[in-house]
Amino acid sequence: MDTTLVILAAGLGTRYGKGIKQLAKMDDNENTLMDYSIYDAIKAGFNKVVFIIRKDIEEEFMEVIGNRIKENVKIELAYQDIKDLPEGFTKPEGRTKPWGTVQALMSIRGIVKEPFLIINADDYYGKEAFSFMHDYLVKNKESDKLQMGMVGYKLRNTISDNGTVNRGICIVDDDNKLEKIMETHGIIAQGDKISSKENLSSDVLNLDSVVSMNLWAAYPEFIDYCEEFFKGFLEDNIDDLKSEYVLSDMIDEMLRKDVVEVTVIPTKEKWIGITYHEDLKSAKESFKQMIDDGVYPKNIWGK
C-alpha cells in the first residue's frame, strides 16, 4: 500500500527569530529535523513525501533540502497561499497572517490520494511514532465513521527550556479513543507546576497530560473535511485579521459533531523541536548523542 508523509513547512517561525527554522542544520552533514523525520518515515514504510511550503521560500527550500531528499524518495510540493480560500470567500484587506494548518492541508487536494501522515517540519517525533502510524494506516479496519490516528506524547517530554509552548491537551478514554483536544497556549513548567494562558486545572494540565504534537494519520477524505470545516470557520471569523484555524481545533469540533473516531497510540518518545533560537543548541546536542549511541548512522543518507 502506498502511504505519504505530509510535512507542514509553511510556518513563518516568528518565535525562532533568525532565519527559517524549518531549515536549521542539526548535524555536520547539514541535515535538518525534516531529514530525520523523512528518514524515519521511509524506514517505517512511507514511500512519498509532500512538502507544504510558501512559494516565496521554494528556491531556498529546494536548495537546502528538497534537491537532496528527492534522491531518496519521491517528493511533491504544495503551496499554502493566503488567498486560497473556498468559493464565496476572499481575503480581507489587511490580512497578512496565514490562516492556519487546516487551510494548509487544503493545498494537497489532488496531490494526496492515499493514506497519509501529517507532521510539523520543526518537530522531531522519534522513530517509533512513524512505525506506529504506518501500521495504523495499513491495518486499520473500515468504518462508517471517519478514522484517524494520533501519537500521544507525555507533556513532560515536549516542553522547551527556553520559553512557552502551545500544545493540544488531550482527554483519552480507557479504549485509547480521543474524547477531546484543547489547543492550549503559553504552557510553561516551573518545577512540577505547569501553567498556561487558559489556566487549566492541574487534573487536566500536568506533566503526565497526553498531548498532540500535530502528528495525525488520516485518509484522503479527511482533506474534504478540511475545506468543509474551514468554510464554517471563515463564516464566523473572516473579518478577524489574526484568527487562524488549526488542526487540533478542527478535530475537536469533529469529535463534538461525532463525525470522526481518533485512536491514540501512546509513546514515551521525547520531543525535540525548535520553537526558539535557543532551542537549536540543545537540539544539535541531542542528535549528536543519538548518532554516538548508534540510533542513527553518522550520515543518514549515506553520502
PDB file of all heavy atoms in Angstrom, residues 132-147:
ATOM      1  N   PHE A 132       4.407   3.326  14.372  1.00  0.00           N
ATOM      2  CA  PHE A 132       3.049   3.227  14.901  1.00  0.00           C
ATOM      3  C   PHE A 132       2.018   3.688  13.874  1.00  0.00           C
ATOM      4  O   PHE A 132       1.007   3.032  13.633  1.00  0.00           O
ATOM      5  CB  PHE A 132       2.907   4.096  16.164  1.00  0.00           C
ATOM      6  CG  PHE A 132       3.571   3.545  17.383  1.00  0.00           C
ATOM      7  CD1 PHE A 132       3.810   4.366  18.478  1.00  0.00           C
ATOM      8  CD2 PHE A 132       3.955   2.218  17.469  1.00  0.00           C
ATOM      9  CE1 PHE A 132       4.414   3.872  19.619  1.00  0.00           C
ATOM     10  CE2 PHE A 132       4.567   1.714  18.609  1.00  0.00           C
ATOM     11  CZ  PHE A 132       4.802   2.547  19.682  1.00  0.00           C
ATOM     12  N   MET A 133       2.274   4.845  13.290  1.00  0.00           N
ATOM     13  CA  MET A 133       1.287   5.444  12.390  1.00  0.00           C
ATOM     14  C   MET A 133       1.206   4.717  11.052  1.00  0.00           C
ATOM     15  O   MET A 133       0.125   4.603  10.462  1.00  0.00           O
ATOM     16  CB  MET A 133       1.584   6.920  12.181  1.00  0.00           C
ATOM     17  CG  MET A 133       1.332   7.791  13.406  1.00  0.00           C
ATOM     18  SD  MET A 133      -0.432   7.944  13.862  1.00  0.00           S
ATOM     19  CE  MET A 133      -0.650   6.571  15.008  1.00  0.00           C
ATOM     20  N   HIS A 134       2.328   4.210  10.562  1.00  0.00           N
ATOM     21  CA  HIS A 134       2.274   3.442   9.319  1.00  0.00           C
ATOM     22  C   HIS A 134       1.477   2.161   9.537  1.00  0.00           C
ATOM     23  O   HIS A 134       0.613   1.804   8.712  1.00  0.00           O
ATOM     24  CB  HIS A 134       3.679   3.118   8.810  1.00  0.00           C
ATOM     25  CG  HIS A 134       3.680   2.503   7.446  1.00  0.00           C
ATOM     26  ND1 HIS A 134       3.627   1.147   7.236  1.00  0.00           N
ATOM     27  CD2 HIS A 134       3.687   3.060   6.204  1.00  0.00           C
ATOM     28  CE1 HIS A 134       3.629   0.898   5.939  1.00  0.00           C
ATOM     29  NE2 HIS A 134       3.659   2.039   5.292  1.00  0.00           N
ATOM     30  N   ASP A 135       1.730   1.475  10.636  1.00  0.00           N
ATOM     31  CA  ASP A 135       0.968   0.268  10.951  1.00  0.00           C
ATOM     32  C   ASP A 135      -0.520   0.588  11.076  1.00  0.00           C
ATOM     33  O   ASP A 135      -1.369  -0.180  10.607  1.00  0.00           O
ATOM     34  CB  ASP A 135       1.472  -0.362  12.249  1.00  0.00           C
ATOM     35  CG  ASP A 135       2.822  -1.034  12.080  1.00  0.00           C
ATOM     36  OD1 ASP A 135       3.256  -1.220  10.926  1.00  0.00           O
ATOM     37  OD2 ASP A 135       3.443  -1.365  13.112  1.00  0.00           O
ATOM     38  N   TYR A 136      -0.830   1.706  11.709  1.00  0.00           N
ATOM     39  CA  TYR A 136      -2.234   2.099  11.868  1.00  0.00           C
ATOM     40  C   TYR A 136      -2.890   2.280  10.501  1.00  0.00           C
ATOM     41  O   TYR A 136      -3.990   1.777  10.247  1.00  0.00           O
ATOM     42  CB  TYR A 136      -2.337   3.390  12.676  1.00  0.00           C
ATOM     43  CG  TYR A 136      -3.728   3.972  12.673  1.00  0.00           C
ATOM     44  CD1 TYR A 136      -4.693   3.523  13.573  1.00  0.00           C
ATOM     45  CD2 TYR A 136      -4.098   4.938  11.731  1.00  0.00           C
ATOM     46  CE1 TYR A 136      -5.993   4.018  13.535  1.00  0.00           C
ATOM     47  CE2 TYR A 136      -5.391   5.444  11.696  1.00  0.00           C
ATOM     48  CZ  TYR A 136      -6.330   4.984  12.600  1.00  0.00           C
ATOM     49  OH  TYR A 136      -7.611   5.475  12.553  1.00  0.00           O
ATOM     50  N   LEU A 137      -2.220   3.000   9.608  1.00  0.00           N
ATOM     51  CA  LEU A 137      -2.817   3.316   8.316  1.00  0.00           C
ATOM     52  C   LEU A 137      -3.063   2.071   7.462  1.00  0.00           C
ATOM     53  O   LEU A 137      -4.069   1.987   6.752  1.00  0.00           O
ATOM     54  CB  LEU A 137      -1.928   4.299   7.553  1.00  0.00           C
ATOM     55  CG  LEU A 137      -1.934   5.738   8.061  1.00  0.00           C
ATOM     56  CD1 LEU A 137      -0.819   6.541   7.397  1.00  0.00           C
ATOM     57  CD2 LEU A 137      -3.282   6.410   7.816  1.00  0.00           C
ATOM     58  N   VAL A 138      -2.153   1.104   7.506  1.00  0.00           N
ATOM     59  CA  VAL A 138      -2.288  -0.061   6.628  1.00  0.00           C
ATOM     60  C   VAL A 138      -3.130  -1.170   7.251  1.00  0.00           C
ATOM     61  O   VAL A 138      -3.635  -2.042   6.531  1.00  0.00           O
ATOM     62  CB  VAL A 138      -0.899  -0.613   6.218  1.00  0.00           C
ATOM     63  CG1 VAL A 138      -0.104   0.444   5.485  1.00  0.00           C
ATOM     64  CG2 VAL A 138      -0.120  -1.127   7.421  1.00  0.00           C
ATOM     65  N   LYS A 139      -3.308  -1.138   8.583  1.00  0.00           N
ATOM     66  CA  LYS A 139      -4.043  -2.210   9.247  1.00  0.00           C
ATOM     67  C   LYS A 139      -5.417  -1.789   9.746  1.00  0.00           C
ATOM     68  O   LYS A 139      -6.223  -2.626  10.149  1.00  0.00           O
ATOM     69  CB  LYS A 139      -3.224  -2.749  10.431  1.00  0.00           C
ATOM     70  CG  LYS A 139      -1.921  -3.408  10.023  1.00  0.00           C
ATOM     71  CD  LYS A 139      -1.139  -3.880  11.242  1.00  0.00           C
ATOM     72  CE  LYS A 139       0.181  -4.540  10.831  1.00  0.00           C
ATOM     73  NZ  LYS A 139       0.967  -4.972  12.024  1.00  0.00           N
ATOM     74  N   ASN A 140      -5.700  -0.492   9.740  1.00  0.00           N
ATOM     75  CA  ASN A 140      -6.962  -0.023  10.296  1.00  0.00           C
ATOM     76  C   ASN A 140      -8.146  -0.556   9.484  1.00  0.00           C
ATOM     77  O   ASN A 140      -8.099  -0.624   8.257  1.00  0.00           O
ATOM     78  CB  ASN A 140      -6.992   1.509  10.290  1.00  0.00           C
ATOM     79  CG  ASN A 140      -8.173   2.057  11.058  1.00  0.00           C
ATOM     80  OD1 ASN A 140      -8.448   1.645  12.179  1.00  0.00           O
ATOM     81  ND2 ASN A 140      -8.898   2.981  10.454  1.00  0.00           N
ATOM     82  N   LYS A 141      -9.205  -0.955  10.184  1.00  0.00           N
ATOM     83  CA  LYS A 141     -10.388  -1.510   9.539  1.00  0.00           C
ATOM     84  C   LYS A 141     -11.328  -0.385   9.104  1.00  0.00           C
ATOM     85  O   LYS A 141     -11.407   0.663   9.734  1.00  0.00           O
ATOM     86  CB  LYS A 141     -11.101  -2.464  10.495  1.00  0.00           C
ATOM     87  CG  LYS A 141     -10.273  -3.686  10.864  1.00  0.00           C
ATOM     88  CD  LYS A 141     -11.040  -4.594  11.823  1.00  0.00           C
ATOM     89  CE  LYS A 141     -10.201  -5.814  12.196  1.00  0.00           C
ATOM     90  NZ  LYS A 141     -10.919  -6.711  13.148  1.00  0.00           N
ATOM     91  N   GLU A 142     -12.049  -0.641   8.029  1.00  0.00           N
ATOM     92  CA  GLU A 142     -13.022   0.335   7.532  1.00  0.00           C
ATOM     93  C   GLU A 142     -14.143   0.530   8.544  1.00  0.00           C
ATOM     94  O   GLU A 142     -14.488  -0.369   9.304  1.00  0.00           O
ATOM     95  CB  GLU A 142     -13.596  -0.117   6.190  1.00  0.00           C
ATOM     96  CG  GLU A 142     -12.596  -0.064   5.046  1.00  0.00           C
ATOM     97  CD  GLU A 142     -13.255  -0.351   3.721  1.00  0.00           C
ATOM     98  OE1 GLU A 142     -14.504  -0.419   3.679  1.00  0.00           O
ATOM     99  OE2 GLU A 142     -12.527  -0.511   2.719  1.00  0.00           O
ATOM    100  N   SER A 143     -14.707   1.723   8.545  1.00  0.00           N
ATOM    101  CA  SER A 143     -15.776   2.048   9.479  1.00  0.00           C
ATOM    102  C   SER A 143     -16.703   3.063   8.818  1.00  0.00           C
ATOM    103  O   SER A 143     -16.310   3.761   7.873  1.00  0.00           O
ATOM    104  CB  SER A 143     -15.197   2.620  10.779  1.00  0.00           C
ATOM    105  OG  SER A 143     -16.220   3.109  11.628  1.00  0.00           O
ATOM    106  N   ASP A 144     -17.922   3.139   9.327  1.00  0.00           N
ATOM    107  CA  ASP A 144     -18.853   4.144   8.810  1.00  0.00           C
ATOM    108  C   ASP A 144     -18.430   5.553   9.193  1.00  0.00           C
ATOM    109  O   ASP A 144     -18.823   6.526   8.557  1.00  0.00           O
ATOM    110  CB  ASP A 144     -20.265   3.881   9.352  1.00  0.00           C
ATOM    111  CG  ASP A 144     -20.856   2.589   8.811  1.00  0.00           C
ATOM    112  OD1 ASP A 144     -20.407   2.153   7.732  1.00  0.00           O
ATOM    113  OD2 ASP A 144     -21.737   2.011   9.475  1.00  0.00           O
ATOM    114  N   LYS A 145     -17.615   5.661  10.238  1.00  0.00           N
ATOM    115  CA  LYS A 145     -17.167   6.958  10.724  1.00  0.00           C
ATOM    116  C   LYS A 145     -15.733   7.199  10.252  1.00  0.00           C
ATOM    117  O   LYS A 145     -14.933   6.269  10.147  1.00  0.00           O
ATOM    118  CB  LYS A 145     -17.238   6.996  12.257  1.00  0.00           C
ATOM    119  CG  LYS A 145     -17.003   8.370  12.864  1.00  0.00           C
ATOM    120  CD  LYS A 145     -17.071   8.282  14.391  1.00  0.00           C
ATOM    121  CE  LYS A 145     -18.452   7.894  14.871  1.00  0.00           C
ATOM    122  NZ  LYS A 145     -18.546   7.957  16.354  1.00  0.00           N
ATOM    123  N   LEU A 146     -15.397   8.442   9.934  1.00  0.00           N
ATOM    124  CA  LEU A 146     -14.035   8.782   9.536  1.00  0.00           C
ATOM    125  C   LEU A 146     -13.058   8.355  10.624  1.00  0.00           C
ATOM    126  O   LEU A 146     -13.261   8.632  11.808  1.00  0.00           O
ATOM    127  CB  LEU A 146     -13.916  10.298   9.305  1.00  0.00           C
ATOM    128  CG  LEU A 146     -12.537  10.800   8.861  1.00  0.00           C
ATOM    129  CD1 LEU A 146     -12.230  10.338   7.451  1.00  0.00           C
ATOM    130  CD2 LEU A 146     -12.458  12.316   8.944  1.00  0.00           C
ATOM    131  N   GLN A 147     -11.982   7.674  10.225  1.00  0.00           N
ATOM    132  CA  GLN A 147     -10.990   7.168  11.158  1.00  0.00           C
ATOM    133  C   GLN A 147      -9.699   7.977  11.064  1.00  0.00           C
ATOM    134  O   GLN A 147      -9.249   8.318   9.971  1.00  0.00           O
ATOM    135  CB  GLN A 147     -10.687   5.696  10.873  1.00  0.00           C
ATOM    136  CG  GLN A 147     -11.877   4.770  11.047  1.00  0.00           C
ATOM    137  CD  GLN A 147     -12.306   4.649  12.489  1.00  0.00           C
ATOM    138  OE1 GLN A 147     -11.545   4.243  13.358  1.00  0.00           O
ATOM    139  NE2 GLN A 147     -13.557   5.017  12.757  1.00  0.00           N
TER     140      GLN A 147
END
